[in-house]
Amino acid sequence: MTCGRQNQRRAGLALAAAALLLAGCGQSADTKGADGAKGGAAGAASASPSAGAGAGASASAKASVAPLGPGEVRVGGEVAKPHSVTLADLRKLPQASVEVKFTSAKGEQRHTYQGVLLHDVLKTAEPRFDAAKKNGQLRGFVSATGGGDYRAVFAWAEIDPGFAKSQVLLAVSEDGVAFDDAAGPRLVVPQDTKGGRYVSELNQLWVGVVDPVVDGAK
């Protein structure tokens, strides 16, 4: 009888210990779950400002590039003073006149254009050429973009009167007829025998240097 009571007591103690053990495991799991949820919430909270900042920076970058007005030309790239010009602005500047002859899809073309030297317009933007390098401006180039995303490229030496005799113009008129303000100026390249770089409806002039491309290819 005594032995039976002892066995029952031992069994009861074993059950009580098992119950305590299970309760402890459940509490530990619950605690870990709460910590995990807190960690996830903290991670989300810490990530949220960063994501928000990234979105804000992206929106700010987009907002900083104002849309172009009709006939407006944006001058940018590796320059200290990016700006934009219109036909009205160009007409107020010193004018040059050139007679040109070139071939196009329509055959031989002969015209007289009046306008402003491209070099003069870009010079006011102050291109950032490396003065520490000999003739650093010879590493420069100009990309001209027109209507329909048409684009042509010039070496800086082609437009710089210190190196070339050419008079590349931002033309405001052709044969005495003024271009429409909404269409913008036309790029005129007297030294070219073909009209491929006569960019119409000009809307962007971008100054760059070849160093990042050339050095990156090494």
Side-chain angles (χ1 to χ4, degrees):
M1 193 70 172
T2 303
C3 183
R5 288 179 179 176
Q6 289 179 346
N7 288 338
Q8 288 178 354
R9 184 178 180 184
R10 287 174 183 171
L13 291 172
L15 288 173
L20 289 172
L21 181 61
L22 288 174
C25 290
Q27 183 178 4
S28 175
D30 291 343
T31 303
K32 288 181 181 178
D35 289 343
K38 289 178 183 177
S46 63
S48 179
S50 175
S58 176
S60 176
K62 291 180 181 178
S64 66
V65 181
L68 288 171
E72 190 175 10
V73 181
R74 178 176 288 125
V75 182
E78 292 296 324
V79 298
K81 296 181 178 179
H83 64 280
S84 61
V85 294
T86 64
L87 276 174
D89 297 326
L90 294 173
R91 292 189 186 105
K92 298 174 185 177
L93 300 175
Q95 302 288 298
S97 181
V98 295
E99 294 182 0
V100 301
K101 179 177 72 172
F102 60 90
T103 57
S104 70
K106 298 178 181 179
E108 185 177 274
Q109 304 284 317
R110 290 178 181 269
H111 298 287
T112 299
Y113 289 99
Q114 183 173 322
V116 181
L117 291 175
L118 174 60
H119 181 262
D120 289 348
V121 174
L122 296 178
K123 188 170 59 175
T124 61
E126 298 182 8
R128 291 194 292 245
F129 299 133
D130 192 348
K133 292 183 170 64
K134 183 178 180 179
N135 289 329
Q137 66 269 45
L138 297 184
R139 300 165 182 254
F141 65 89
V142 181
S143 169
T145 305
D149 198 32
Y150 189 85
R151 185 167 291 162
V153 176
F154 298 80
W156 184 263
E158 291 184 87
I159 67 169
D160 189 333
F163 292 94
K165 294 181 179 180
S166 61
Q167 289 187 302
V168 181
L169 293 184
L170 292 181
V172 300
S173 68
E174 178 186 75
D175 300 327
V177 180
F179 291 128
D180 184 73
D181 284 354
R186 185 181 190 188
L187 200 62
V188 172
V189 194
Q191 71 267 31
D192 284 8
T193 58
K194 290 190 175 182
R197 295 199 295 180
Y198 281 61
V199 181
S200 299
E201 299 180 6
L202 188 69
N203 57 61
Q204 183 188 59
L205 292 167
W206 195 93
V207 180
V209 291
V210 300
D211 294 41
V213 177
V214 176
D215 295 341
K218 290 180 180 180

